[in-house]
Amino acid sequence: QLNVLHKFKGILFSTMSSKELLNSLDSFDAREDDVFLVSYPKSGTHWVAEVIGNIPNTKITLTSPIEFGDISKFEELKMYSKRRVIPTHLSYDILPRNIKQKQCKIIYVVRNPKDIAVSLFHYYRDNPNLPCIETWDAFLELFLRGDVVYGSWFDHVLSWEEHKDDKNILIISYEEMKKDLSKSIKKITTFLDINVSDSEINKIVWKTSFSEMKSSTAKENYNPNHTICALTSNRNLVFRKGAVGDWINYFTSKQKRVFDELFTQRMKHSELARHFEDYSE
Ligand code: A3P
């Protein structure tokens, strides 16, 4: 249990991200047409990946995360001839230099951090690749201190904050996808310069509903190479509740107060935070 995480640049990573791979991130050779799907864990990464994977006639390959695996990773990524969509939970600072230089398209997914905390708490409990934290109270403390995988949620989002207006970056929130999925799908396809008809969008909406994704995952044998999150290859661990506002069932009023204080302190100038603020009260 103790050996499942290790630190790189002060941030906790799963041992499925090897030290050698993390150390060599800057040698990654990005292509101009690469698309990166970036998020803090539990923000809705699999959902957006599924949307992209269901866009018809794309000639796109959805790869496993750039930080997932060992030093052979970049050789593996070189083998794809189609346009690559590469997921990652890396913060802006750690993202390979090349991706920034080439101004590759990046979709950054955000979600209300209270719901993320609850979701990550369950992930810690269910995922054998993460340490066992007994109680919600203990987990929330770790989360607020940033002593969890991929570090502090605040640091992560703030690292992307400065780039929210870059032309090559699309910000999308879990909450807006819940509210109007067709609109979000249009946003994504427009950003990727792909034409999709309304009936095709309706089909994607249906295919990427929580219940559909959950049940098809349970039915199918997913190829572990199709990993989206570097913390697990077991997709069945991903589909828990799929709701906005579940935090209310976990936070005590004192925990909410402490969380809100830190949130205000760290995120008061954040425009990214406006994408989900309405859902955190
Ligand atoms: P919960 O634990 O709150 O249910 P990620 O893909 O970044 O790991 O995020 C996982 C979270 O997204 C989980 O949240 C999961 O249930 C939710 N999720 C996955 N697919 C979804 C979908 N199609 N609709 C709504 N939520 C979804």
Side-chain angles (χ1 to χ4, degrees):
Q1 280 289 355
L2 285 171
N3 297 326
V4 293
L5 301 181
H6 63 111
K7 271 199 175 171
F8 173 73
K9 296 195 175 165
I11 289 173
L12 287 170
F13 283 87
S14 144
T15 46
M16 292 185 294
S17 299
S18 84
K19 224 170 189 106
E20 294 74 26
L21 177 61
L22 294 172
N23 267 316
S24 62
L25 279 175
D26 272 334
S27 70
F28 170 69
D29 204 6
R31 298 180 192 158
E32 254 144 49
D33 70 343
D34 280 339
V35 178
F36 292 85
L37 172 54
V38 189
S39 57
Y40 188 83
K42 313 322 287 171
S43 303
T45 330
H46 290 80
W47 194 5
V48 178
E50 192 75 8
V51 165
I52 296 173
N54 274 287
I55 303 172
N57 316 317
T58 46
K59 303 195 180 72
I60 272 177
T61 304
L62 193 58
T63 77
S64 60
I66 192 165
E67 75 276 24
F68 178 65
D70 58 26
I71 198 76
S72 66
K73 184 75 192 191
F74 300 154
E75 287 305 315
E76 174 201 322
L77 287 174
K78 269 189 202 157
M79 315 246 279
Y80 299 108
S81 51
K82 291 186 201 159
R83 186 180 193 184
R84 303 177 297 189
V85 177
I86 308 177
T88 181
H89 289 316
L90 297 177
S91 67
Y92 190 86
D93 326 313
I94 303 184
L95 200 73
R97 212 176 281 145
N98 218 235
I99 300 172
K100 303 169 198 168
Q101 280 162 352
K102 296 209 168 154
Q103 296 182 305
C104 299
K105 286 194 178 177
I106 295 173
I107 300 175
Y108 186 63
V109 192
V110 291
R111 186 184 187 186
N112 169 3
K114 290 198 187 96
D115 283 340
I116 289 183
V118 170
S119 183
L120 194 56
F121 169 59
H122 287 279
Y123 209 35
Y124 261 70
R125 289 178 44 154
D126 302 339
N127 187 342
N129 301 316
L130 294 173
C132 179
I133 311 292
E134 287 300 329
T135 66
W136 159 247
D137 294 9
F139 179 80
L140 184 61
E141 261 183 49
L142 292 179
F143 184 83
L144 290 176
R145 282 212 307 266
D147 259 337
V148 288
V149 275
Y150 295 98
S152 148
W153 174 87
F154 298 95
D155 292 343
H156 201 282
V157 174
L158 290 172
S159 81
W160 286 93
E161 178 81 31
E162 295 168 47
H163 302 278
K164 64 180 188 318
D165 297 322
D166 294 3
K167 272 204 319 290
N168 57 317
I169 300 189
L170 174 73
I171 311 284
I172 195 140
S173 77
Y174 182 92
E175 289 75 13
E176 70 179 273
M177 288 177 69
K178 283 296 280 193
K179 198 163 149 195
D180 191 341
L181 186 53
S182 355
K183 197 172 158 190
S184 305
I185 295 172
K186 270 187 212 137
K187 234 168 122 170
I188 293 169
T189 53
T190 306
F191 177 71
L192 297 177
D193 289 320
I194 304 170
N195 264 326
V196 186
S197 71
D198 284 349
S199 77
E200 284 166 338
I201 289 191
N202 288 340
K203 210 164 150 192
I204 303 173
V205 168
W206 181 80
K207 290 276 264 182
T208 63
S209 72
F210 179 76
S211 54
E212 186 56 32
M213 280 179 70
K214 185 176 172 124
S215 67
S216 65
T217 298
K219 276 193 296 231
E220 289 161 34
N221 273 328
Y222 264 90
N223 182 341
N225 293 329
H226 292 174
T227 298
I228 299 292
C229 169
L231 300 172
T232 185
S233 293
N234 181 358
R235 266 177 86 93
N236 286 300
L237 299 177
V238 173
F239 307 96
R240 188 188 61 94
K241 196 157 183 181
V244 168
D246 192 36
W247 66 267
I248 208 123
N249 301 312
Y250 292 83
F251 281 70
T252 64
S253 53
K254 171 144 188 264
Q255 286 172 336
K256 177 184 184 300
R257 208 164 50 241
V258 171
F259 198 105
D260 287 345
E261 254 167 45
L262 183 61
F263 186 91
T264 311
Q265 183 194 327
R266 301 258 1 236
M267 307 301 287
K268 61 172 174 264
H269 300 301
S270 166
E271 276 180 41
L272 282 189
R274 297 204 190 126
H275 285 266
F276 45 77
E277 236 164 18
D278 299 351
Y279 308 91
S280 53
E281 279 309 308

